[in-house]
Amino acid sequence: MAVKSMVPECIARKFRVNGIVQGVGFRPFVYGLANRYRLKGEIANTSSGVSLHVEGFREDIESFGRDLIQSCPPLARITDLVTSDEPLKNFRKFTIAKSQHQKTVSTLISPDVSICADCFKELFDPTDRRYRYPFINCTNCGPRYTIIDHIPYDRPNTSMRKFKMCRSCQSEYDDPGNRRFHAQPNACAVCGPQVTLYDRAGKKMDAPNPVEHAAALIKEGYLLAVKGLGGFHIAADAENDEAVTRLRQRKLREEKPLALMSTDLSDIAVYAHVDAEEENLLTSPQRPIVLLRKRIPNPLSQQVSPRNTYFGVMLPYTPLHYQILNCGFTALVMTSGNRSEEPIAIDNDDAFARLADIADYFLTHDREIYLRSDDSIVKRTAGDTRFMRRSRGFVPAPVFLKCRVPPVLACGAEQKNTVCLTKGNQAFLSQHIGDLENLAAYDFFKLTIVHMQRILDIHPEILVCDLHPDYLSTRYVQEQEKGQKLQVQHHHAHVVSCMSENGLEGEVIGLAFDGTGYGTDGSIWGGEILIAGPAGFKRAASLSTVSLPAGASAIKEPWKMAVSYLHAAFGEALWNLDLPLFKAIDENRIVRIIEMITKKINSPATSSLGRLFDGVAAIAGIRTHVFFEGQAAMELEMAASEKTPVFYDYEWKSEEIYQVMVQPIIRAVVRDVQEGLPLAEISARFHLTLIRMFTDLCGAIRADSGLNRVALSGGVFQNAILLSGLEQALSHKGFDVYSHRQVPANDGGISLGQAVIAAAVLGG
Amino acid sequence: MCLAIPSKIVKIENNMGIIDVEGVTRETNLILIEDARVGDYVIVHAGFAIRKIDESEALESLKILRKVAAMEFDG
């Protein structure tokens, strides 16, 4: 019998596949499929999808084509498939070609992740080829956000591109069974980044083991600038009082607490109390700074966090940190490597230039940080984890919104600035940018906007900023040529920020308590109860206003606020009072402040609750001056005794809106101070008064409005007594109470509220 | 890049999930996805769960991946 057509024919065919076929495991899938049908050829990403060329028997190619459509990976969506016959090129195997320029990809970029247990084991295993290599990482850990320049998250788009993998690393990277399969920052001592030690003049030191050498220098009391994951830290031995004092002097940081890093939980237990939840936070892969109650006594320098009952503590999150700490420290001070108020340094030259006055030596490396990211700060309050600062480890994980919104860029406020970009139902908050009050911070702000737009592939149509005309973020939005623009009232943004992360729609009773925000009437708000929703708000209640004498200087000098409140409560009779304030401050200065208040010179009106805390703290004798915003209020909170049954009389006037009178509270505080009541009791009474008063007031507003949901937002809610007290009291009265868990209650969360408001107002 | 292997969440603790991939358990970070629950199937990319997927879809593609894997091991 003649054998006709029994010899299978070998052909070549091209497939052009469009749709969602990148970043979804499509190429490895095709690779497996091609091998299954013993096809040769190659697959490559193109700007609109993938293109593949296969050669093999006609039957096999046809089966391959069918499977390609029917069994593609779950995330892949083929929208268009074009095939054409091609001349044979005689490929010898099937390969995945290098990516061509890619435009559409999955835009979820992972946050930076602390070293994992497997890599940790390797780091200290003398038989491992990466023994003591400070840049160990794998698919489960290592840098991400801070080293990405472009999407997709492929090595050539990261700062690892300049390190060509050695053969051992490359074979791990290529092996689907390996922990380092496609781990973009994969490296080892042969091919990866290296650590170098420099003196303060920027001269390379002769140090065969730079990490141990650096640790020894810290032991001797020197201050070291250490390049980490999201920027430089300044490291000092936390037990060395002289070193920590020097760090404070050089960094011009008088009393603000300094962050600590310890090797493990047992070291932390030496100086701080840690409960199970705090332990989970400390050891989580995000490795935030956790505020922990101090153990008294403890072996650390008093200068680490003077007059504060808390330490800010984190565990190491990079292999380099572990190696330094392994040289025998109970704790290192690891404070941001910046000059006062400026952004954290990330670049080696930048660090030499800006930190030379602070650090004695520099331990740096040659893996570039593309986007700086400070350490995140959290605290367990009222049964939940609360962000003080949301940054490294969490950014850019999205906050999920209740509905889809158009692309918005929200530029945040002035203090603790963050920006927010939206895409679909996701809101991406930036890392902590800082206070936009100097050019360096403003540059960082602009850089972050550009960078995030690029790596998240978001092209905002709506731009939003604060109502305050003088904020740099406001000016930035005004200067942009394209896009619809909106200015949002500060406290409205606060309330909606809280609503958004809790998935609330409609209207709520919003308690927005903070230091300063520009009001719609041009006065300075800060103790507001709003009836608010994403589409708008009205003011329901507010603290009665007092003067903010000498404007912003009253924020740094709470005694001026105290005089303002005393004048409001007692008039000229304030001179008869017996308060510590009058001994601490020169009489002439008080006279001058009163003059400013009565003549309304440079004394805007404020309804700020933050300032009321400051004023009460100064009246109670806690402090007349602060070194950082909110210090007096914080110390007043920390002074409070556990509980008191006593609270002060309070009253409000029902006018156009409810006016909460501050005078009776001030008079009661003054009475207690004059009677010599302990500070702990006065503070507890003051807190209880606020809790009862605002709970009652919410009751009145509920009766008027029919609203039963209360959202708590604003920096004052970092106060644990007020937050947990109000949550309890309001819940007890049948309110549904919502507070912040995903973004900070302070101005760091403002950009989220701005974005959602803009989407509601302009997006419809 | 990811392999897009559907993985089942078997335990959740503080945004970290234990996932089960064909009997092998691994840790994965859940902060990039919304409302992760035990029993959900997710796609994991570089240590992070990046998407939730439908159970039937997951089981179907696991079946396919198993086949592909079997082919590869068969040589």
Side-chain angles (χ1 to χ4, degrees):
Chain A
M1 238 176 103
V3 183
K4 201 175 167 192
S5 317
M6 287 304 281
V7 179
E9 184 195 359
C10 221
I11 60 159
R13 186 167 286 174
K14 189 168 198 159
F15 293 77
R16 290 173 181 280
V17 190
N18 286 352
I20 307 170
V21 287
Q22 293 182 10
V24 291
F26 194 77
R27 286 177 299 162
F29 157 73
V30 170
Y31 178 81
L33 202 61
N35 282 319
R36 175 175 165 186
Y37 290 109
R38 294 166 183 80
L39 305 181
K40 321 290 182 208
E42 64 176 6
I43 179 168
N45 279 338
T46 67
S47 58
S48 58
V50 296
S51 168
L52 50 128
H53 176 101
V54 288
E55 301 185 344
F57 299 132
R58 181 183 291 275
E59 264 188 15
D60 288 338
I61 288 179
E62 271 158 14
S63 305
F64 168 85
R66 207 174 46 240
D67 285 2
L68 191 67
I69 300 167
Q70 286 175 356
S71 53
C72 75
L75 290 178
R77 291 283 173 274
I78 296 176
T79 56
D80 191 26
L81 177 70
V82 182
T83 60
S84 55
D85 285 328
E86 296 275 310
L88 278 169
K89 289 187 191 163
N90 295 313
F91 279 91
R92 302 185 58 184
K93 56 180 185 179
F94 191 86
T95 56
I96 297 178
K98 276 218 176 83
S99 290
Q100 292 162 16
H101 181 65
Q102 301 188 0
K103 273 184 181 162
T104 52
V105 281
S106 168
T107 52
L108 279 175
I109 301 293
S110 312
D112 301 299
V113 191
S114 70
I115 177 173
C116 70
D118 290 331
C119 287
F120 180 81
K121 239 180 272 162
E122 289 177 356
L123 181 64
F124 293 112
D125 174 4
T127 66
D128 193 275
R129 74 180 185 91
R130 288 194 180 83
Y131 178 53
R132 290 186 171 178
Y133 179 60
F135 302 94
I136 284 190
N137 66 82
C138 70
T139 322
N140 295 320
C141 69
R144 308 279 162 87
Y145 180 64
T146 49
I147 60 164
I148 296 170
D149 193 16
H150 280 96
I151 44 174
Y153 177 55
D154 269 347
R155 189 165 172 121
N157 291 334
T158 71
S159 63
M160 286 301 292
R161 64 175 152 239
K162 73 177 214 192
F163 303 99
K164 186 176 161 21
M165 276 185 273
C166 64
R167 284 180 63 179
S168 308
C169 285
Q170 187 69 47
S171 68
E172 292 167 338
Y173 183 88
D174 293 336
D175 172 11
N178 194 287
R179 203 172 92 236
R180 299 195 163 91
F181 177 58
H182 285 180
Q184 307 307 344
N186 189 26
C188 72
V190 175
C191 61
Q194 303 293 337
V195 168
T196 316
L197 186 64
Y198 295 91
D199 66 15
R200 68 194 305 173
K203 194 168 148 275
K204 195 172 160 179
M205 308 255 300
D206 182 25
N209 190 332
V211 180
E212 277 176 15
H213 198 126
L217 288 167
I218 298 172
K219 267 261 135 90
E220 285 171 44
Y222 290 106
L223 306 182
L224 263 84
V226 178
K227 188 171 177 180
L229 198 61
F232 276 82
H233 283 118
I234 307 289
D237 183 353
E239 289 182 281
N240 184 333
D241 195 56
E242 192 268 331
V244 182
T245 306
R246 193 146 29 86
L247 171 55
R248 281 206 178 275
Q249 286 162 353
R250 290 192 191 165
K251 227 189 140 180
L252 307 176
R253 189 155 160 178
E254 290 95 343
E255 293 201 350
K256 202 170 175 182
L258 300 167
L260 295 170
M261 184 182 274
S262 286
T263 315
D264 54 35
L265 294 166
S266 64
D267 280 333
I268 297 175
V270 170
Y271 58 85
H273 300 278
V274 186
D275 69 20
E277 291 298 336
E278 288 160 346
E279 195 175 306
N280 281 338
L281 284 169
L282 285 164
T283 55
S284 73
Q286 290 86 11
R287 296 285 158 90
I289 294 172
V290 184
L291 300 189
L292 301 172
R293 219 163 258 284
K294 274 183 188 175
R295 216 177 257 286
I296 308 282
N298 66 66
L300 305 189
S301 161
Q302 294 296 305
Q303 290 302 310
V304 172
S305 74
R307 299 184 218 226
N308 200 304
T309 50
Y310 287 84
F311 280 128
V313 188
M314 63 188 145
L315 288 177
Y317 49 88
T318 70
L320 180 60
H321 293 151
Y322 270 111
Q323 278 180 285
I324 299 171
L325 279 152
N326 225 27
C327 299
F329 298 98
T330 307
L332 287 181
V333 165
M334 287 289 261
T335 185
S336 302
N338 57 356
R339 285 204 303 226
S340 180
E341 312 302 331
E342 283 187 5
I344 182 169
I346 52 172
D347 176 56
N348 290 352
D349 293 336
D350 180 38
F352 289 135
R354 283 164 61 207
L355 305 179
D357 298 341
I358 301 173
D360 299 305
Y361 297 94
F362 291 76
L363 186 66
T364 80
H365 57 74
D366 52 354
R367 184 179 69 202
E368 266 182 271
I369 298 169
Y370 284 147
L371 203 59
R372 59 170 62 75
S373 204
D374 286 88
D375 296 313
S376 293
I377 308 175
V378 298
K379 185 183 178 190
R380 290 288 302 178
T381 303
D384 270 297
T385 302
R386 317 286 178 167
F387 280 99
M388 310 277 137
R389 179 198 285 172
R390 184 181 181 275
S391 206
R392 177 193 50 75
F394 298 94
V395 169
V399 173
F400 294 96
L401 305 175
K402 196 82 180 163
C403 56
R404 297 178 66 82
V405 298
V408 179
L409 166 65
C411 292
E414 181 95 329
Q415 306 284 309
K416 301 180 175 67
N417 181 275
T418 61
V419 299
C420 177
L421 283 158
T422 59
K423 184 176 201 173
N425 73 332
Q426 296 171 321
F428 297 94
L429 261 77
S430 73
Q431 73 278 31
H432 166 81
I433 293 170
D435 298 348
L436 296 183
E437 52 189 22
N438 58 59
L439 199 62
Y442 186 53
D443 286 344
F444 176 32
F445 163 85
K446 289 190 287 189
L447 178 74
T448 301
I449 290 173
V450 172
H451 194 97
M452 279 184 72
Q453 286 182 11
R454 190 169 63 227
I455 63 165
L456 296 169
D457 196 22
I458 296 175
H459 311 281
E461 291 160 8
I462 297 171
L463 307 175
V464 49
C465 59
D466 197 275
L467 194 61
H468 199 299
D470 298 331
Y471 283 179
L472 281 174
S473 46
T474 305
R475 248 190 281 168
Y476 171 84
V477 167
Q478 281 161 352
E479 283 166 10
Q480 301 309 302
E481 284 171 13
K482 283 186 191 152
Q484 282 183 282
K485 290 165 195 175
L486 186 71
Q487 283 184 273
V488 169
Q489 201 278 322
H490 192 86
H491 301 97
H492 184 204
H494 264 310
V495 174
V496 175
S497 167
C498 180
M499 291 178 73
S500 311
E501 67 152 274
N502 285 291
L504 305 183
E505 291 170 317
E507 283 191 329
V508 299
I509 300 171
L511 272 55
F513 296 163
D514 73 352
T516 303
Y518 192 83
T520 50
D521 56 2
S523 76
I524 300 168
W525 293 8
E528 314 305 310
I529 303 186
L530 310 178
I531 291 180
F537 77 97
K538 64 175 191 272
R539 213 170 170 203
S542 154
L543 287 190
S544 60
T545 59
V546 298
S547 297
L548 185 70
S553 83
I555 297 169
K556 295 199 171 112
E557 300 177 52
W559 71 267
K560 292 180 180 169
M561 276 324 295
V563 170
S564 181
Y565 286 111
L566 293 171
H567 190 264
F570 296 94
E572 286 301 316
L574 72 91
W575 291 109
N576 303 327
L577 304 173
D578 176 25
L579 295 172
L581 178 71
F582 293 103
K583 297 181 190 84
I585 305 294
D586 180 63
E587 191 180 313
N588 288 323
R589 299 191 69 195
I590 299 176
V591 170
R592 227 166 349 169
I593 288 299
I594 294 174
E595 214 171 69
M596 283 178 113
I597 294 166
T598 50
K599 292 182 180 162
K600 296 189 174 12
I601 304 161
N602 192 17
S603 296
T606 183
S607 59
S608 167
L609 184 60
R611 295 290 90 77
L612 179 63
F613 267 89
D614 284 354
V616 168
I619 291 169
I622 289 180
R623 57 170 58 247
T624 54
H625 295 70
V626 294
F627 295 110
F628 56 94
E629 208 216 348
Q631 187 183 15
M634 233 166 78
E635 289 177 10
L636 181 64
E637 179 199 347
M638 291 188 296
S641 61
E642 284 290 305
K643 277 224 156 49
T644 179
V646 184
F647 55 93
Y648 303 135
D649 288 338
Y650 52 82
E651 60 181 270
W652 60 73
K653 282 197 271 185
S654 180
E655 294 171 343
E656 210 171 310
I657 62 167
Y658 292 110
Q659 288 276 346
V660 176
M661 306 312 291
V662 292
Q663 291 86 336
I665 299 174
I666 295 296
R667 284 191 207 108
V669 170
V670 167
R671 183 199 64 212
D672 279 357
V673 175
Q674 288 187 330
E675 283 179 9
L677 231 68
L679 180 60
E681 178 63 20
I682 296 173
S683 174
R685 287 179 179 185
F686 174 66
H687 279 89
L688 183 62
T689 306
L690 295 181
I691 292 162
R692 299 201 51 131
M693 178 172 77
F694 288 120
T695 304
D696 278 0
L697 193 50
C698 283
I701 294 168
R702 173 166 62 184
D704 299 341
S705 65
L707 296 170
N708 196 50
R709 298 180 301 176
V710 181
L712 310 177
S713 190
V716 171
F717 282 107
Q718 289 174 178
N719 180 314
I721 302 173
L722 193 68
L723 175 64
S724 57
L726 266 172
E727 276 196 341
Q728 275 175 27
L730 287 164
S731 303
H732 192 70
K733 296 271 181 190
F735 286 99
D736 298 321
V737 190
Y738 300 90
S739 56
H740 285 279
R741 290 178 183 81
Q742 295 188 57
V743 304
N746 62 41
D747 284 5
I750 284 265
S751 59
L752 173 63
Q754 288 178 341
V756 172
I757 291 167
V761 173
L762 298 177
Chain B
M1 288 291 108
C2 64
L3 265 181
I5 299 176
S7 316
K8 189 177 181 173
I9 302 176
V10 292
K11 195 179 163 194
I12 296 178
E13 207 170 87
N14 289 330
N15 280 327
M16 288 303 289
I18 304 292
I19 52 164
D20 178 290
V21 190
E22 300 287 271
V24 180
T25 56
R26 291 178 63 178
E27 255 200 347
T28 189
N29 198 309
L30 300 175
I31 61 173
L32 295 179
I33 57 167
E34 191 174 16
D35 288 337
R37 296 212 169 82
V38 170
D40 283 348
Y41 281 87
V42 291
I43 295 296
V44 176
H45 165 70
F48 282 76
I50 56 166
R51 294 262 194 298
K52 274 206 279 193
I53 57 165
D54 187 79
E55 179 165 3
S56 59
E57 216 177 358
L59 296 176
E60 179 61 26
S61 57
L62 275 173
K63 207 167 86 189
I64 294 154
L65 285 164
R66 242 175 255 141
K67 272 193 211 158
V68 172
M71 299 300 293
E72 287 202 327
F73 289 121
D74 287 349

